[in-house]
């Protein structure tokens, strides 16, 4: 505060300068703040920023994997690696297209299912009436703490041609598929069952990223479906924990108020609990999107991309291009395309799930602690929202409701 | 709400367990990387040699260690043998860091890549026994007519027959198939309710033998033009398709097994097509299964098989190249190669050791005799992707269109060859 008193400048300027004054208490605080941050910044810079920048350079160079990528005999090739990957039309493009297709189906199925399952499990183990909640919480969370390699190996056993899953299916008189060796897409199988087993001309002719539209419509292969189940099994426990924490942060009065309003259990969940979980849903979906686009370890330890390339993913392709085929530029380019996709989808998802400040006039209400039950009442059709301006109806007051 | 504190504690406890687990896993992974890095750094700086091998098991590791220790004693140069868990990846890391192992295994399909980016030191002309290697192996590891790295050993594919199943089907020595028609016939007779006559891996490295028997090749002699889309290859592939469709042959994967050896050992297949590495697997995993090895039957163009090989690479960035070449000279000598053969069954890459090998393994002579008509696998730089794609398409050969498969591989392989030429 002494700086404020001694400063001759006018008030607004003074307010702006105050935190920056070198001799001021705030300035010293800022300096020591940076000092404390420095180790972390150095570590982050050294092990994150520099490698990322180097990878960016590699993705635009013709580095062959020998010696430093920054040496003088490595030259800049611009977007050539990206061009041959995305527009080249050769095997690299086809592989990338296949990997994108596989991963898109993986994301499309894993993210909604794991979020829904996690939410379901969390509401179940959050119930006070449930006996042995601790046991169930541990049991559901357990797959998440186990090594993904160990679980993948377990999955390979379970889903092998003569494994447990097929044994169970056989009991039910179902002849199970040869899970990890069946390259057929499940959508193609369904279409085949409906009598459509060859590609219509238009779908076979046109394509995207080097593979025909008909192949884009193959769906996840049987092998990929097993990996999708694996991902849901292992990650829903982690996300259950996030939902559980959020559920416990919801004050019990809110629910009691909804009960008093006569809301059914489903209405309470749909109109009260779920809206209050929105930030957690955002977190879970974001983490899910990022995690599923980066799927690697199950592929590396499990299928290595087989059967018939139906489980290659961009992350695995990036690894195999760089480390196995020594095409480092292409490998880095795949990694950056993947990065762009993840950022794009996260931003998109943020737009979709953002908190809207403007509420449709029909549902308008004041944001007060009592708002959710009021909104419930309004949308449930029993009465318009309490105190909504401009609705002009002769609604009873909140007090009357209760 | 009264239960919240307990609930909170439990939650905290389970979270703590989770975090601890994650940290422990991260620590494991981290230390693994550190280890290999440290060892490479320590041995790359001059003086002692470091040798990086991709081992098939303890027998191979021990044999290589013993041979290297022998050489160390004679030459007075220290040398350590490291076993890679993923050789390709660890070699790539070594070359990128500029500090690779001095001597290492190089597989035929990685050879061109490493030779092209200058990672390999071409030392072929310094070897005394350069003329003793099988010419086709020298061919595999040469660039511009110069031998770059010495062939370590090699393997060929042969037909492995379960003798019990053979006798049960009423077959005799006279029935050993020498033509495709006879193979079809025998496979049919060996097929029973829970056993197919012939089971093998559905990949180019097995199916390719049939292409060779039909007279097909993947590239022309100097490796500049792809010759995949030929009538010979079509004939070979169509024959394999017929075998699969008849039900008397199947891919190992479709039998619920990982490779031909497993299908054979578990009795899911009465015959398989594999290389001489299968003998180790049979001894270790299926010691009760009796089998015999015969040459693959001839196709319309005569006999044909594929051969696979590795070579001893010496790093261009090594500080100890003369010692490294001396070590390779020792490891590829006739006696030493026979010692390796005795330890883990590999076939020597030098012709002078062939007779010794036949004496060691009289029942396996079909493998080494097949060297006369063996074809090298494609190893052009960048061809690995093409072969992976070929393998992916071969998996659905049973219902696929052989001509379409060959046409797409032709296009992809030609693109790779053109890129290399430019």
């Amino acid at each position: 505060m002494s700086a404020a008193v001694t400063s001759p400048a006018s008030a607004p300027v003074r307010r702006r300068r105050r935190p920056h004054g070198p001799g001021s208490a705030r300035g010293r605080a800022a300096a020591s703040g940076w000092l404390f941050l420095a180790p972390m910044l150095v570590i982050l810079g050294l092990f994150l920023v520099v490698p990322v920048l180097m990878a960016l350079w590699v993705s635009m160079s013709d580095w062959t994997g020998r010696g430093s990528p920054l040496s003088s005999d490595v030259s800049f090739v611009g977007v050539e690696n990206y061009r041959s990957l995305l527009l080249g039309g050769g095997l690299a493009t086809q592989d990338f297209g296949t990997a994108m297709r596989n991963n898109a189906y993986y994301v499309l199925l894993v993210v909604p299912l794991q979020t829904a399952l996690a939410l379901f499990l969390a509401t179940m183990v959050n119930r006070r009436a449930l006996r042995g909640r601790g046991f169930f919480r541990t049991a559901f969370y357990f797959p998440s703490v186990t090594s993904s390699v160990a679980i993948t190996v377990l999955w390979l056993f379970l889903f092998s041609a003569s494994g447990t899953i097929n044994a169970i299916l056989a009991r039910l008189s179902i002849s199970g598929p040869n899970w990890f060796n069946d390259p057929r897409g499940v959508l193609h199988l369904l279409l085949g069952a409906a009598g459509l087993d060859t590609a219509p001309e238009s779908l076979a002719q046109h394509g995207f990223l080097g593979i025909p539209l008909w192949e884009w419509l193959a769906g996840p292969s049987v092998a990929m479906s097993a990996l999708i189940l694996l991902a849901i099994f292992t990650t829903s426990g982690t996300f259950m924990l996030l939902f559980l924490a959020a559920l416990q942060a919801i004050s019990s009065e809110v629910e009691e108020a909804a009960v008093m309003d006569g809301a059914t259990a489903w209405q309470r969940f749909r109109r009260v609990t779920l809206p209050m979980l929105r930030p957690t849903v955002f977190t879970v979906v974001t983490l899910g999107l990022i995690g599923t686009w980066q799927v690697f370890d199950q592929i590396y330890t499990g299928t290595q991309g087989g059967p018939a390339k139906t489980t290659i993913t961009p992350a695995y392709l990036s690894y195999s291009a760089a480390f196995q085929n020594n095409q480092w530029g292409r490998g880095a380019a795949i990694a950056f395309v993947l990065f762009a996709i993840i950022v794009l989808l996260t931003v998109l998802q943020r737009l979709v799930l953002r908190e809207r400040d403007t509420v449709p006039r029909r549902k308008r209400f004041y944001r007060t602690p009592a708002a959710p039950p009021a909104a419930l009442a309004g949308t449930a059709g029993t009465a318009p929202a309490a105190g909504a301006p401009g609705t002009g109806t002769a609604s009873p007051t909140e007090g009357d409701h209760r | 709400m009264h239960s919240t504190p307990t609930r909170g504690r439990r939650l905290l406890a389970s979270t703590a367990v989770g975090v601890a687990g994650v940290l422990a896993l991260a620590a494991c992974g981290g230390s693994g990387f550190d280890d290999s890095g440290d060892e490479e750094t320590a041995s790359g700086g001059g003086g002692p040699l470091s040798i990086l091998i991709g081992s098939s098991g303890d027998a191979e590791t021990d044999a290589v260690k013993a041979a290297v220790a022998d050489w160390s004693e004679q030459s007075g140069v220290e040398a350590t043998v490291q076993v890679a868990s993923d050789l390709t990846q660890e070699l790539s890391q070594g070359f990128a860091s500029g500090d690779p192992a001095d001597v290492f295994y190089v597989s035929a399909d990685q050879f061109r890549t490493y030779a092209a980016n200058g990672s390999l030191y071409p030392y072929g002309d310094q070897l005394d026994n350069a003329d003793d290697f099988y010419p086709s192996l020298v061919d595999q590891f040469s660039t511009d007519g110069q031998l770059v790295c010495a062939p370590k050993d090699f393997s060929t594919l042969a037909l492995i027959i379960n003798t019990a199943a053979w006798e049960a089907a009423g077959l005799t020595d006279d029935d050993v198939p020498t033509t495709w028609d006879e193979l079809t016939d025998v496979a049919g007779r060996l097929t029973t309710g829970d056993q197919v006559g012939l089971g093998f891996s559905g990949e180019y490295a097995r199916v390719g033998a049939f292409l060779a028997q039909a007279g097909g090749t993947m590239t022309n002699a100097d490796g500049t033009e792809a010759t995949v889309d030929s009538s010979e290859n079509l004939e070979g592939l169509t024959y394999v398709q017929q075998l699969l469709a008849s039900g008397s042959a199947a891919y190992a994967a479709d039998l619920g097994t990982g490779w031909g050896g497993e299908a054979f050992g578990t009795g899911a297949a009465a015959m398989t097509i594999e290389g001489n590495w299968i003998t180790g697997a049979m001894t270790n995993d299926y010691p009760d299964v009796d089998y015999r090895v015969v040459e693959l039957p001839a196709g319309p163009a005569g006999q044909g098989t594929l051969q696979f090989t590795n070579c001893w690479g010496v790093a261009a960035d090594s500080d100890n190249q003369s010692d490294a070449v001396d070590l390779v000279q020792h490891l590829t000598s006739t006696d030493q190669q026979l010692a390796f053969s005795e330890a883990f069954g590999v076939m020597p890459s030098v012709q002078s050791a062939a007779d010794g090998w036949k004496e060691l393994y009289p029942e396996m002579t079909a493998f080494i005799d097949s060297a006369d008509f063996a074809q090298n696998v494609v190893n052009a730089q960048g061809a690995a992707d093409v072969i992976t794609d070929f393998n992916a398409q071969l998996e659905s050969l049973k219902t696929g269109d052989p001509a379409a498969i060959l046409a797409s591989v032709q296009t992809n392989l030609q693109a790779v060859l053109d890129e290399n030429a430019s």
Side-chain angles (χ1 to χ4, degrees):
Chain A
M1 280 292 118
S2 61
V5 175
T6 53
S7 170
S10 61
V13 176
R14 204 165 59 217
R15 207 173 294 134
R16 224 175 328 125
R17 277 189 53 188
R18 212 164 44 194
H20 299 287
S24 70
R26 288 257 188 140
R28 282 196 299 275
S32 49
W34 282 108
L35 195 68
F36 279 111
L37 271 177
M40 198 57 220
L41 287 179
V42 169
I43 290 172
L44 271 184
L46 210 58
F47 293 103
L48 191 76
V49 179
V50 171
V52 166
L53 291 178
M54 274 179 80
L56 189 64
W57 161 250
V58 168
S59 80
M60 296 188 180
S61 75
D62 61 355
W63 187 52
T64 55
R66 182 177 172 232
S68 164
L70 300 175
S71 71
S72 57
D73 51 354
V74 177
S75 50
F76 179 75
V77 296
V79 294
E80 173 55 29
N81 287 319
Y82 292 89
R83 197 198 59 76
S84 76
L85 178 70
L86 298 173
L87 307 169
L91 197 55
T93 311
Q94 286 168 31
D95 282 352
F96 185 67
T98 310
M100 286 300 296
R101 189 236 3 226
N102 297 339
N103 214 338
Y105 280 112
Y106 184 84
V107 173
L108 220 56
L109 285 166
V110 170
V111 173
L113 287 177
Q114 80 185 6
T115 309
L117 182 64
L119 184 56
F120 175 75
L121 292 179
T123 40
M124 289 299 114
V125 299
N126 192 39
R127 291 163 68 155
R128 270 171 229 113
L130 183 72
R131 276 170 183 274
R133 273 180 306 166
F135 169 76
F136 285 112
R137 286 178 188 182
T138 315
F140 294 150
Y141 188 62
F142 203 70
S144 310
V145 281
T146 316
S147 144
S148 70
V149 173
I151 293 215
T152 308
V153 172
L154 172 80
W155 225 249
L156 291 175
F157 279 123
L158 285 179
F159 283 83
S160 75
S162 53
T164 316
I165 302 289
N166 278 357
I168 293 170
L169 289 177
R171 285 276 173 86
L172 304 170
S173 305
I174 302 170
S175 156
N178 192 347
W179 291 89
F180 279 112
N181 287 309
D182 197 333
R184 293 173 299 170
V186 291
L187 273 181
H188 273 182
L189 285 177
L190 290 177
L191 291 172
L196 185 67
D197 48 9
T198 49
E201 195 70 2
S202 58
L203 292 182
Q205 291 292 324
H206 300 92
F208 174 60
L209 278 179
I211 65 171
L213 289 176
W214 175 247
E215 282 304 313
W216 280 95
L217 289 179
S221 68
V222 175
M224 188 52 121
S225 305
L227 289 178
I228 286 171
L229 290 176
L230 170 67
I232 295 169
F233 174 70
T234 50
T235 48
S236 50
T238 317
F239 294 139
M240 175 196 78
L241 214 60
L242 293 185
F243 277 126
L244 195 58
L247 281 173
Q248 295 187 343
I250 298 178
S251 145
S252 62
E253 283 111 45
V254 177
E255 182 147 349
E256 281 161 21
V259 172
M260 296 307 282
D261 278 344
T264 64
W266 171 247
Q267 281 173 330
R268 288 203 301 278
F269 177 74
R270 174 75 187 77
R271 306 275 180 202
V272 181
T273 315
L274 207 51
M276 295 190 84
L277 288 178
R278 188 204 288 271
T280 317
V281 172
F282 178 76
T283 310
V284 167
V285 173
T286 307
L287 289 177
L289 271 180
I290 295 172
T292 47
W293 275 109
Q294 292 179 335
V295 55
F296 175 79
D297 37 5
Q298 290 94 328
I299 313 291
Y300 179 74
T301 47
T303 59
Q304 304 268 324
K309 292 190 181 175
T310 57
T311 62
I312 51 169
T313 62
Y316 182 75
L317 198 62
S318 168
Y319 162 81
S320 67
F323 283 96
Q324 291 175 343
N325 300 334
N326 260 37
Q327 283 155 333
W328 295 85
R330 182 185 300 166
I334 295 172
F336 278 96
V337 173
L338 188 59
F339 171 70
I341 290 169
I342 291 174
V343 169
L344 199 75
L345 284 178
T346 310
V347 169
L348 208 69
Q349 179 231 350
R350 197 182 153 76
L351 286 178
V352 172
L353 276 186
R354 69 159 184 262
E355 292 272 4
R356 289 176 185 81
D357 286 336
T358 53
V359 177
R361 181 165 281 270
R362 194 168 52 80
K363 294 182 180 177
R364 194 165 288 174
F365 56 83
Y366 288 121
R367 289 185 168 277
T368 60
L376 163 77
T379 49
T382 51
T391 48
T393 53
S395 72
T397 64
E398 271 185 64
D400 289 333
H401 249 306
R402 295 186 177 188
Chain B
M1 293 309 286
H2 292 296
S3 66
T4 305
T6 357
R7 193 191 296 158
R9 262 205 302 278
R10 270 186 207 157
L11 202 63
L12 196 69
S14 56
T15 315
V17 169
V19 169
V22 169
L23 285 179
L25 286 174
C28 289
S31 66
F33 283 115
D34 290 347
D35 283 351
S36 59
D38 288 347
E39 278 148 16
E40 271 171 15
T41 321
S43 53
L49 282 185
S50 66
I51 296 115
L52 186 70
I53 65 170
S55 178
S56 62
D58 287 344
E60 181 167 358
T61 308
D62 293 343
V64 174
K65 279 186 174 167
V68 170
D70 263 5
W71 174 81
S72 279
E73 206 163 299
Q74 289 169 25
S75 65
V77 178
E78 251 182 84
T80 49
V81 177
Q82 297 290 329
V83 179
S85 55
D86 185 335
L87 182 69
T88 314
Q89 182 188 324
E90 286 175 40
L91 279 181
S92 293
Q93 283 170 340
F95 294 140
S97 71
D99 194 17
D102 299 286
V103 180
F104 41 82
Y105 285 11
V106 179
S107 69
D109 57 340
Q110 296 289 343
F111 165 72
R112 299 271 167 214
T113 315
Y114 296 148
N117 73 9
S119 297
L120 298 178
Y121 170 61
Y123 63 87
D125 51 354
Q126 301 174 34
L127 292 174
D128 303 337
N129 56 346
D131 297 337
D132 197 11
F133 295 114
Y134 286 92
S136 61
L137 299 180
V138 171
D139 203 35
Q140 182 83 285
F141 295 118
S142 296
T143 53
D144 304 327
Q146 196 197 2
L147 178 62
V148 174
C149 65
K152 183 170 77 71
D153 47 40
F154 78 115
S155 311
T156 57
L157 295 175
L159 188 67
I160 323 289
I161 298 170
N162 183 324
T163 42
W166 187 261
E167 280 158 21
L171 295 165
T172 64
D173 280 1
D174 296 340
D175 296 311
V176 169
T178 55
T179 64
W180 280 1
D181 287 341
E182 288 174 24
L183 181 66
T184 310
D185 176 52
V186 169
R189 288 168 69 180
L190 283 166
T191 304
T192 63
D194 49 3
Q195 166 187 289
V196 297
L198 177 64
F200 55 97
S201 303
E203 54 184 338
Y204 160 67
R206 304 291 175 281
V207 176
F210 289 99
L211 306 187
Q213 289 154 17
T217 54
M218 297 292 280
T219 64
N220 62 356
D222 56 359
T224 51
E225 296 285 329
T227 56
V228 185
D229 198 2
S230 65
S231 58
E232 290 87 3
N233 282 339
L234 183 63
E235 192 175 8
L237 214 50
T238 308
Y239 173 69
V240 176
Q241 188 179 38
Q242 284 166 0
L243 264 185
L244 294 172
S246 73
S248 51
Y251 286 152
D254 294 329
L255 299 170
T257 53
W259 62 296
E262 192 184 347
F264 183 75
T266 55
M271 298 187 292
T272 191
I273 299 169
E274 279 297 337
N276 37 303
W277 51 79
I278 194 178
T279 57
M282 295 306 292
T283 314
N284 294 329
D285 301 338
Y286 313 104
D288 300 333
V289 178
D290 286 329
Y291 63 96
R292 63 182 294 193
V293 182
V294 300
E295 289 173 23
L296 284 172
Q303 283 190 291
T305 188
L306 297 181
Q307 67 181 8
F308 309 91
T309 177
N310 279 289
C311 71
W312 287 106
V314 171
D317 288 329
S318 165
D319 297 329
N320 314 304
Q321 281 164 349
S322 61
D323 286 339
V325 172
D326 193 48
L327 171 64
V328 172
Q329 179 82 58
H330 173 76
L331 293 173
T332 54
S333 67
T334 309
D335 292 345
Q336 184 54 56
Q337 292 220 34
L338 278 173
F340 283 147
S341 300
E342 199 167 356
F344 56 100
V346 291
M347 296 202 299
S349 58
V350 288
Q351 300 174 63
S352 60
D355 289 336
W357 195 83
K358 285 183 196 177
E359 273 170 38
L360 275 175
Y361 298 103
E363 71 284 12
M364 306 285 170
T365 49
F367 284 122
I368 207 157
D369 289 342
S370 297
D372 296 340
F373 48 85
Q375 204 179 79
N376 280 325
V377 290
V378 183
N379 73 333
Q381 188 188 356
D385 279 348
V386 180
I387 297 304
T388 310
D389 186 65
F390 192 13
N391 290 341
Q393 297 197 56
L394 283 176
E395 285 182 45
S396 46
L397 172 65
K398 194 172 170 181
T399 54
D401 175 6
I405 295 176
L406 292 174
S408 77
V409 176
Q410 167 80 25
T411 314
N412 292 333
L413 188 59
Q414 189 61 54
V416 164
L417 297 178
D418 288 345
E419 202 170 300
N420 290 349
S422 67

